[in-house]
């Protein structure tokens, strides 16, 4: 069959998609002529639950299918993996008390999760979700998608951003830009229609909380300040309700089921449903039906509000700090935008309204607004949107360790990015060949209270007396909020090599290895799919041929022609069960050719009948 | 091929190296230059040009941060004219503040040991330091003007002196506010 080649001109550019890689849900969106829109999956669903499960046959399940596996095989299933991105095992000790994750204890700087017989890092698991979204986009365009904008919480540190970028690379995506979620939401709201003004974006999602305050000016979105908590979200409310319900069950049943993952996951589902329903009704019942035993507890909105009040209050403190850093009072804020599923909670809305003294915007679906904004940013990068520009900031100060474990701050928080700082370094002893620079992120004075980011090793210094070397090091935070370090010998002007040792996260080599592995697996997957598709095609041509042989047209063929068809069909049947899809396709083609005359005859008969006005 | 912009802050903004600046004009120029140089505008360009855009925007942002703040702007001009700003030496109390600083330290000590009766005294100390800072800012503005009308090295040297005093007062304000704030929320 011949295909139409229609030249859409500009439309032929490779599409850049926008991806919201969320704690609970993930989405992919694209900006077309009508505006940004979500690209749904084959079943028409916009949202992919951020759940990944290793199936019994070694394949990966993502999204809805994996969410069901959370009940049936929790030990092979991971959710909320975003909370583990860019973290070390010691960071998540508390987390693991409630999550069913099992960690490979032998590793120090990178978390490795055990899923069945495989051990995977958080970026590899996130890559599975990204691959699913990539596939959805490819199905939509009918063409490969290799470029993306991915959103991250504004308050993500360098390691968390790097881990997100790594996930993209592992999934085969060139991550053109990481955009902060609240800023993306501001873009999606198209608030630039208001030519000038101050806007606050309150983003309370599944696992993270962000607040950003922006100044809008003729299409420029300038972030004045951002603040947040990368460990505060709807998950915390779920865990709180879950803990209470588990205790309640223990006292009612006289049996502690908190060690039973199936019961815990069923109950988790029940409390999440209860939480969500309480945004619309005044009272709900948390129910669990487990191995013949029933549990039911009524929860009314007033009690729910009292329980979660401390969590909501924890979001308001960063808001106050953010207003202070932005140099604005609540009166000066013209609009407040609500983002993230947790902003559906009435108490959250009331708290925000009271703090900012403004009724918050809730017109756009809080689950979709970030992905839509990512698509707008993708459009900016593609050159399709020319009047808008995002000027974002770095959420945390960047410093280096100096004597006595003190931090010398080089780039302050809320500096517009890209931002840079230059420092000179020298040697302390004669003939010293290396200088090690320890870079940290955070607002505290002591290194031990900040987040270690990486150690940069200035290597192969020429031998010189102490203090004579002059190495100029440039720290540059790029538009993704990721640190780049370059060094130069001031005397010679030559570039000085710098080896990066990330404190938490994967080295470049490790990421490369994962990309290779994922390619190998992807090749396996692709081959399997090709074989399956070839067989489906073979089925259809064999059925069609079988049917045609009952037609009069079959008898119109010569004996030789009939023999040719039978031979071709036989050969196809012989290779049908082989794993060689190329061979299967060759034989399909052969049947196709052998039955050409037959098909023509049938067509002629049909046309003749049609002309005569008779039915075939 | 895109040419890298100047690295000198005033030049980058197309401004004469004056200490008195119109904030609104500076912001307007910043937005215009951002539209021109931001990496978002270069994502379809060759890697060398992307690198130039990245460096240029980093410089632009650093320049804007420096120029929009009168104190940092003055420090930048001083450094460029061979009047380096040394490490801040909080030990060197300006002589005219000696007595007040002594009293302040006593009051802070009392507050730390739990005597909140000194709060009113600290509140009024804060008011006092804030008005001192405002006076210093007025002085600076005056000096900025005489610098811009060709004041030369004497003015730069005077500015450096005033900046040091301002920094000292700033530290006092911060210390008092920290003490008052910490107690207020405790």
């Amino acid at each position: 069959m011949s295909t139409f080649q229609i030249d859409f001109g500009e439309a032929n550019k490779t599409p850049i998609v926008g991806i919201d890689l969320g704690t609970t849900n993930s989405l992919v969106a694209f900006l077309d002529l009508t505006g940004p829109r979500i690209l749904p999956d084959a079943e028409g669903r916009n949202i992919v639950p951020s759940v990944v499960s290793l199936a019994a046959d070694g394949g990966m399940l993502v999204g809805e299918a994996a969410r069901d596996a959370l009940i049936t095989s929790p030990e092979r299933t991971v959710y909320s993996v975003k909370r583990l991105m860019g973290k070390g095992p010691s960071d998540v000790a508390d987390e693991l008390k409630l999550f069913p994750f099992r960690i490979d204890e032998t590793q120090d700087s990178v978390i490795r999760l055990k899923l069945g017989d495989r051990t995977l890092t958080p970026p590899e698991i996130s890559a599975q979700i990204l691959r699913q979204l990539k596939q959805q986009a490819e199905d939509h365009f009918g063409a490969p998608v290799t470029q993306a904008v991915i959103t991250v919480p504004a308050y993500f540190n360098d390691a968390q951003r790097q881990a997100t970028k790594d996930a993209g690379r592992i999934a085969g995506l060139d991550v053109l830009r990481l955009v902060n979620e609240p800023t993306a939401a501001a873009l999606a709201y198209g608030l630039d229609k208001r030519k000038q003004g101050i806007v606050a974006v309150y983003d309370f999602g599944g696992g993270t909380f962000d607040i950003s305050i922006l100044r809008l000016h003729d299409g420029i979105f300038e972030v004045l300040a951002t603040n947040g908590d990368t460990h505060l979200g709807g998950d915390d409310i779920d865990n709180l309700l879950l803990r209470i319900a588990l205790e309640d069950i223990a006292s009612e049943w006289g049996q502690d089921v908190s060690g039973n993952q199936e019961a815990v996951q069923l109950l988790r589902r029940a409390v999440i449903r209860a939480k969500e329903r309480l945004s619309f009704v005044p009272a709900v019942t948390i129910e669990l039906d487990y191995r013949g035993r029933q549990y039911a507890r009524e929860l009314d909105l007033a009690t729910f509000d009292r329980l979660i009040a401390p969590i909501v209050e924890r979001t308001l403190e960063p808001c106050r700090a953010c207003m202070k850093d932005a140099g604005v009072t609540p009166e000066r804020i013209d609009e407040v935008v609500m983002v993230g599923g947790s902003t559906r909670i009435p108490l959250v809305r009331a708290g925000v309204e009271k703090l900012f003294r403004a009724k918050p915007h809730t017109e756009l679906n809080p689950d979709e607004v970030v992905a839509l904004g990512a698509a707008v940013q993708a459009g900016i990068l593609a050159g399709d949107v020319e009047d808008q520009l995002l000027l974002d900031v770095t959420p945390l100060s960047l410093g280096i360790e100096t004597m006595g474990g003190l931090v010398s701050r080089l780039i302050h928080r809320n500096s517009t990015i890209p931002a840079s700082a230059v420092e000179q370094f020298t040697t302390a002893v004669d003939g010293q060949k290396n200088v090690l620079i320890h870079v940290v992120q955070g607002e505290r004075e002591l290194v031990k209270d900040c987040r270690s980011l990486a150690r940069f090793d200035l290597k192969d210094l020429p031998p010189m007396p102490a203090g004579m070397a002059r190495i100029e090091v440039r720290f540059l935070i790029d538009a993704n909020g990721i640190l780049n370090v370059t060094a130069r010998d001031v005397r010679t002007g030559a570039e000085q090599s710098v080896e990066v040792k990330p404190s938490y996260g994967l080295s470049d080599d490790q990421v490369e290895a994962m990309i290779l592995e994922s390619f190998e697996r992807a090749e396996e997957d692709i081959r399997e799919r090709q074989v399956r598709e070839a067989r489906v095609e073979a089925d259809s041509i064999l059925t069609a041929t079988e049917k045609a042989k009952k037609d009069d047209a079959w008898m119109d063929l010569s004996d030789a022609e009939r023999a040719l068809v039978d031979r071709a069909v036989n050969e196809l049947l012989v290779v049908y069960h082989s794993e060689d899809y190329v061979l299967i396709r060759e034989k399909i083609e052969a049947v196709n050719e052998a039955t050409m005359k037959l098909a023509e005859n049938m067509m002629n008969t049909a046309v003749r009948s049609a002309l005569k006005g008779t039915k075939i | 091929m895109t040419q890298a912009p100047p690295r000198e802050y005033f030049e980058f903004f197309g401004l004469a190296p004056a200490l008195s600046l119109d904030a609104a004009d500076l912001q307007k120029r910043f937005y215009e230059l951002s539209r021109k140089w931001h990496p978002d505008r270069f994502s379809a360009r060759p890697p060398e040009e992307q690198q130039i855009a990245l460096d240029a925007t980093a410089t632009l942002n650093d320049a804007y941060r420096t120029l929009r703040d009168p104190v940092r702007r003055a420090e930048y001009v001083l450094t460029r004219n061979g009047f380096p700003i040394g490490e801040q030496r909080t030990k060197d109390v300006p002589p005219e503040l000696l007595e007040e600083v002594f009293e302040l330290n006593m009051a802070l000590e009392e507050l730390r040991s739990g005597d909140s009766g000194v709060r009113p005294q600290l509140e009024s100390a804060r008011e006092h330091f804030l008005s001192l800072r405002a006076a210093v800012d007025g002085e600076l503005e005056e000096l900025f003007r005489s610098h811009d009308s060709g004041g030369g090295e004497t003015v730069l040297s005077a500015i450096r002196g005033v900046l040091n005093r301002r920094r000292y007062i700033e530290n006092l304000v911060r210390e008092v506010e920290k003490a008052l704030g910490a107690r207020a929320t405790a």
Side-chain angles (χ1 to χ4, degrees):
Chain A
M1 195 185 96
S2 77
T3 52
F4 291 98
Q5 289 288 329
I6 301 173
D7 187 7
F8 287 104
E10 282 288 283
N12 268 348
K13 279 193 304 194
T14 38
I16 307 173
V17 294
I19 290 177
D20 173 6
L21 183 61
T23 307
T24 318
N25 296 313
S26 296
L27 302 90
V28 57
F30 180 69
L31 180 80
D32 62 19
L33 294 173
T34 62
R37 61 193 179 100
I38 307 288
L39 305 179
D41 69 2
E43 272 88 70
R45 292 177 297 218
N46 282 355
I47 284 174
V48 175
S50 303
V51 187
V52 174
S53 183
L54 181 70
D57 66 357
M60 282 289 183
L61 298 173
V62 178
E64 286 299 338
R67 195 155 66 169
D68 294 335
L70 206 50
I71 307 289
T72 54
S73 46
E75 74 292 345
R76 310 169 69 89
T77 309
V78 185
Y79 63 94
S80 296
V81 70
K82 189 175 183 179
R83 293 184 83 134
L84 308 180
M85 294 283 273
K87 300 272 174 176
S90 55
D91 300 324
V92 296
D94 281 347
E95 207 95 347
L96 296 174
K97 286 176 192 150
L98 277 161
F99 288 88
F101 306 146
R102 290 177 311 143
I103 286 200
D104 182 350
E105 309 276 354
T106 59
Q107 300 290 325
D108 50 350
S109 70
V110 182
I111 295 174
R112 284 170 199 277
L113 295 168
K114 289 188 199 160
L115 266 76
D117 59 342
R118 289 187 70 186
T119 309
L120 296 167
T121 60
E124 285 173 288
I125 293 164
S126 296
Q128 295 290 339
I129 300 166
L130 290 174
R131 209 169 278 142
Q132 165 73 30
L133 298 170
K134 180 175 185 275
Q135 185 63 51
Q136 257 167 245
E138 289 177 343
D139 290 347
H140 172 82
F141 295 113
V145 171
T146 55
Q147 297 183 311
V149 167
I150 302 181
T151 60
V152 290
Y155 220 55
F156 251 21
N157 66 26
D158 187 275
Q160 291 167 305
R161 287 168 193 269
Q162 193 62 60
T164 307
K165 238 186 145 182
D166 291 343
R169 282 172 66 193
I170 296 167
L173 286 170
D174 183 8
V175 182
L176 297 184
R177 177 62 43 83
L178 296 176
V179 186
N180 292 332
E181 286 156 11
T183 340
L187 275 181
Y189 259 96
L191 291 165
D192 60 315
K193 287 179 193 85
R194 154 193 281 283
K195 284 273 175 206
Q196 315 249 352
I198 307 275
V199 173
V201 183
Y202 177 98
D203 181 356
F204 195 18
T208 56
F209 171 70
D210 280 331
I211 172 77
S212 288
I213 295 174
L214 297 89
R215 177 190 288 136
L216 307 186
H217 189 101
D218 294 329
I220 294 221
F221 291 66
E222 182 191 9
V223 179
L224 298 176
T226 193
N227 209 307
D229 188 333
T230 58
H231 246 64
L232 179 61
D235 273 0
D236 293 285
I237 295 174
D238 304 344
N239 288 341
L240 174 75
L241 295 179
L242 181 60
R243 211 182 56 229
I244 291 169
L246 281 170
E247 280 169 19
D248 199 18
I249 287 174
S251 68
E252 202 174 288
W253 291 1
Q255 181 196 353
D256 181 10
V257 294
S258 63
N260 184 308
Q261 277 308 328
E262 191 193 338
V264 170
Q265 291 310 323
L266 280 170
L267 190 60
R268 206 178 103 85
R269 225 179 230 205
V271 299
I272 291 173
R273 204 159 36 225
K275 172 188 79 172
E276 290 173 354
R277 299 229 323 121
L278 276 173
S279 294
F280 307 100
V281 298
V284 292
T285 308
I286 300 172
E287 284 174 288
L288 176 68
D289 192 332
Y290 179 64
R291 299 204 178 147
R293 297 190 79 163
Q294 277 84 32
Y295 164 80
R297 175 73 64 216
E298 173 146 320
L299 179 64
D300 63 32
L301 189 57
T303 311
F304 177 69
D305 283 353
R306 257 207 323 280
L307 289 173
I308 66 165
I311 294 175
V312 177
E313 183 53 41
R314 273 177 67 197
T315 68
L316 300 182
E317 200 39 52
C319 293
R320 294 185 194 105
C322 191
M323 281 193 277
K324 189 158 178 278
D325 281 351
V328 298
T329 51
E331 293 76 23
R332 285 203 52 207
I333 292 175
D334 300 299
E335 320 225 15
V336 181
V337 169
M338 300 291 256
V339 186
S342 302
T343 60
R344 290 197 176 92
I345 298 172
L347 187 72
V348 171
R349 289 193 179 180
V352 171
E353 203 172 327
K354 187 161 163 246
L355 180 66
F356 291 108
R357 289 162 219 173
K359 196 147 188 71
H361 278 279
T362 51
E363 300 94 280
L364 293 183
N365 182 337
D367 293 323
E368 294 182 354
V369 60
V370 168
L372 295 173
V376 175
Q377 177 64 31
I380 292 174
L381 293 178
D384 296 335
V385 179
E386 282 185 349
D387 53 337
Q388 299 185 1
L389 181 66
L390 207 57
L391 305 178
D392 223 314
V393 299
T394 181
L396 300 159
S397 297
L398 183 98
I400 50 174
E401 175 168 359
T402 61
M403 276 196 281
L406 292 172
V407 178
S408 163
R409 216 155 281 160
L410 298 179
I411 298 175
H412 287 260
R413 71 162 186 270
N414 295 321
S415 294
T416 306
I417 51 173
S420 67
V422 172
E423 276 285 301
Q424 281 216 4
F425 292 86
T426 188
T427 47
V429 293
D430 291 348
Q432 187 177 334
K433 285 168 84 177
N434 292 38
V435 173
L436 201 61
I437 306 169
H438 184 200
V439 179
V440 298
Q441 258 186 324
E443 310 311 317
R444 305 282 294 275
E445 301 298 325
L446 297 178
V447 168
K448 68 175 178 60
D449 297 323
C450 287
R451 182 81 180 163
S452 174
L453 204 157
R455 284 176 168 78
F456 294 89
D457 195 358
L458 306 179
K459 296 207 309 189
D460 310 322
L461 301 178
M464 255 185 277
M468 292 299 284
R470 289 269 177 280
I471 309 297
E472 189 183 85
V473 179
R474 184 159 189 241
F475 301 86
L476 185 143
I477 299 179
D478 66 16
N480 302 310
I482 291 181
L483 176 66
N484 301 264
V485 171
T486 49
R488 155 183 101 82
D489 189 325
V490 178
R491 295 161 177 281
T492 62
E495 197 151 310
Q496 173 70 46
S497 75
V498 186
E499 193 190 337
V500 190
K501 296 170 180 165
S503 308
Y504 300 94
L506 303 164
S507 70
D508 244 19
D509 292 345
Q510 283 173 310
V511 176
E512 289 298 333
M514 286 171 188
I515 293 170
L516 277 180
E517 197 198 324
S518 76
F519 271 142
E520 277 160 23
R521 286 192 183 265
E523 268 171 27
E524 261 171 48
D525 291 351
I526 287 168
R527 197 172 53 239
E528 236 169 74
R529 204 173 65 206
Q530 299 262 36
V531 171
R532 240 179 330 210
E533 282 173 3
R535 284 185 194 151
V536 169
E537 216 173 296
D539 284 338
S540 84
I541 199 163
L542 288 170
T543 317
T545 310
E546 237 10 82
K547 210 175 143 204
K549 282 165 95 169
K550 293 187 181 99
D551 194 283
D552 290 343
W554 174 249
M555 293 319 291
D556 292 344
L557 294 181
S558 69
D559 286 352
E561 283 167 337
R562 280 199 296 268
L564 214 61
V565 172
D566 284 335
R567 178 142 26 97
V569 167
N570 243 327
E571 280 176 9
L572 176 55
L573 286 171
V574 169
V575 301
Y576 182 88
H577 286 288
S578 81
E579 298 294 318
D580 188 343
Y581 65 89
V582 180
L583 191 61
I584 300 175
R585 288 202 180 279
E586 266 174 32
K587 296 302 171 194
I588 291 172
E589 201 42 51
V591 174
N592 229 344
E593 263 173 47
T595 55
M596 199 83 84
K597 183 83 181 297
L598 176 61
E600 252 170 53
N601 284 351
M602 285 173 73
M603 187 61 84
N604 287 339
T605 322
V607 170
R608 266 198 307 274
S609 315
L611 286 177
K612 273 190 247 158
T614 55
K615 284 196 174 172
I616 356 168
Chain B
M1 178 70 193
T2 307
Q3 290 294 316
R7 298 194 80 87
E8 204 286 316
Y9 293 171
F10 287 100
E11 257 183 78
F12 199 143
F13 273 84
L15 292 165
L19 280 175
S20 310
L21 283 184
D22 174 2
D25 174 62
L26 190 72
Q27 188 189 58
K28 193 169 149 262
R29 287 168 190 262
F30 171 64
Y31 287 154
E32 277 165 14
L33 289 166
S34 292
R35 282 190 194 278
K36 179 175 177 189
W37 288 109
H38 197 276
D40 281 6
R41 305 266 167 216
F42 289 78
S43 62
R45 308 293 280 276
E48 315 82 68
E49 288 192 42
Q50 291 184 357
Q51 188 59 46
I52 290 173
L54 177 61
D55 287 338
T57 315
T59 305
L60 172 64
N61 290 335
D62 299 344
Y64 184 50
R65 253 191 307 283
T66 304
L67 296 186
R68 73 179 164 191
D69 178 58
V71 172
R72 279 195 225 168
R73 187 195 313 148
E75 287 175 347
Y76 175 72
V77 170
L78 285 176
T79 311
R80 282 188 54 79
N81 286 283
F83 285 80
I85 306 295
E87 285 290 296
Q88 63 184 60
R89 292 165 302 181
T90 44
K91 297 281 181 293
D92 303 346
V93 186
E96 70 277 17
L97 288 173
L98 257 175
E99 200 176 331
E100 283 169 77
V101 170
F102 179 73
E103 278 177 22
L104 174 72
N105 282 334
M106 296 268 287
L108 286 174
E109 197 51 53
E110 281 169 44
L111 186 69
R112 270 192 280 271
S113 61
D115 179 6
S116 53
V118 294
R119 282 189 76 89
Q121 191 194 332
L122 285 172
E123 301 272 6
S124 73
R126 178 176 61 180
E127 291 307 311
H128 178 58
F129 292 135
L130 284 176
S131 72
L132 276 181
R133 193 177 68 184
V136 168
D137 286 346
E139 233 176 294
L140 271 180
E141 258 176 61
E142 198 63 40
L143 284 167
F144 282 2
R145 271 195 291 274
S146 53
H147 166 268
D148 295 347
S149 49
E153 300 213 337
T154 357
V155 177
L156 285 176
S157 158
I159 290 175
R160 177 160 66 175
V162 176
L163 281 181
N164 278 334
R165 193 144 50 91
R166 190 189 190 282
R167 195 186 289 156
Y168 190 84
I169 296 167
E170 183 71 33
N171 276 335
L172 293 178
V173 171
R174 202 174 304 144
E175 217 171 307
V176 176
E177 287 189 338
K178 205 168 105 188
L180 287 172
R183 280 289 144 182
T185 53

